Amino acid sequence: MTTTISPLIAGNWKMNGTRGALDELQALADMLTTGEAPRAIVVVCPPATMLAAVARQGATSGIQAGGQDCHAAASGAHTGDIAAGMLADAGAQYVIVGHSERRADHGETDDQVRAKAEAAIGAGLKPIICVGETEAQRDSGQADSVVASQLAGSVPDAAGQHEVIVAYEPVWAIGTGRTPTNDDIASMHASIRRQLVDRFGDKGQVIRILYGGSLKPQNAREILAVEHVNGGLVGGASLLAKDFYTIISAV
Ligand code: PGA
């Protein structure tokens, strides 16, 4: 991990959790405040219905809240969508954009993801911009080019002046229990870093690059130690306070 970048661990609850999940959040808060102070910034991205409650309850223990998606527009006739400013109003400081499940389930393109990231920045949020190849793309040797093109298309120019976070999440590793080798992670993160530096100069050196995809208590320590891995985006393992705390403590 690059020492000059403070690591960040974000939990993505996806479409999981009702009010009962606040007990789990409290359990995490208790672990974070009674144990050794975490070396990572801790973010929880619950379903939108829980965002305000998570932001309020997490505040006392330093847990920050994030949304899982936002609309590119500030307001308007978009039934069911949520604007970045609304997430901020509910207490969010971060928002995930371009998650592979959004790209697959809702056909989101790089242009749309970039517009969402711009909207997030405009609302004072830090976007966590996701990129990652499918298994077929990796098998056919296209992983690097796919990720490079998603990165070029999804990260807005405003990343040169504002805080954004990139999350590399190989689609085939999400929720499958499978992970790339540490060498593959190192090589992809190094290539993302090079691309960010080419485009943003010194600023590109300090943009966090998270790894996501089956990050678990069992593999967190070694994956989070890989060069240019500046933290993690955790799905399934963020739902249980004990597992998530173990991953946070692995930093
Ligand atoms: P996973 O999900 O940790 O359950 O693999 C990661 C993600 O989709 O962000």
Side-chain angles (χ1 to χ4, degrees):
M1 193 173 298
T2 314
T3 46
T4 51
I5 304 179
S6 57
L8 183 150
I9 304 287
N12 173 11
W13 285 7
K14 308 192 179 183
M15 200 171 71
N16 297 291
T18 49
R19 277 179 294 169
L22 291 176
D23 292 346
E24 210 59 36
L25 186 79
Q26 193 53 50
L28 174 67
D30 292 345
M31 289 180 218
L32 288 171
T33 46
T34 54
E36 200 187 321
R39 275 187 286 264
I41 295 168
V42 179
V43 180
V44 169
C45 302
T49 48
M50 302 273 293
L51 187 55
V54 165
R56 200 176 321 113
Q57 191 171 319
T60 51
S61 56
I63 299 171
Q64 303 188 60
Q68 296 179 9
D69 177 50
C70 65
H71 197 278
S75 63
H78 303 288
T79 302
D81 280 316
I82 302 176
M86 294 169 177
L87 298 175
D89 183 56
Q93 281 158 285
Y94 296 82
V95 60
I96 300 167
V97 292
H99 189 281
S100 63
E101 286 151 16
R102 300 282 321 170
R103 291 178 188 261
D105 295 353
H106 300 270
E108 291 185 7
T109 63
D110 289 331
D111 283 349
Q112 286 168 326
V113 173
R114 189 177 65 245
K116 287 173 182 227
E118 282 164 354
I121 291 168
L125 299 177
K126 297 163 194 136
I128 301 173
I129 304 166
C130 301
V131 295
E133 82 286 355
T134 63
E135 183 157 38
Q137 288 164 335
R138 175 159 287 269
D139 288 347
S140 60
Q142 293 174 284
D144 283 322
S145 62
V146 166
V147 169
S149 123
Q150 287 179 337
L151 201 62
S154 305
V155 176
D157 290 340
Q161 297 87 45
H162 296 270
E163 185 172 346
V164 307
I165 294 146
V166 170
Y168 168 58
E169 298 204 302
V171 178
W172 52 273
I174 294 176
T176 60
R178 296 161 55 206
T179 53
T181 64
N182 292 343
D183 283 351
D184 284 342
I185 294 174
S187 138
M188 185 61 83
H189 278 244
S191 110
I192 293 173
R193 174 68 67 215
R194 273 194 303 276
Q195 202 177 329
L196 292 172
V197 171
D198 282 351
R199 183 163 165 203
F200 299 110
D202 286 349
K203 183 69 205 296
Q205 298 280 11
V206 297
I207 294 176
R208 285 190 192 87
I209 309 171
L210 311 183
Y211 169 79
S214 296
L215 201 54
K216 294 185 185 329
Q218 299 82 341
N219 61 21
R221 193 168 292 280
E222 54 173 304
I223 291 178
L224 294 171
V226 171
E227 198 178 2
H228 297 302
V229 172
N230 311 119
L233 182 54
V234 186
S238 72
L239 296 172
L240 280 178
K242 201 167 136 298
D243 286 355
F244 194 43
Y245 178 73
T246 306
I247 294 172
I248 294 163
S249 310
V251 170

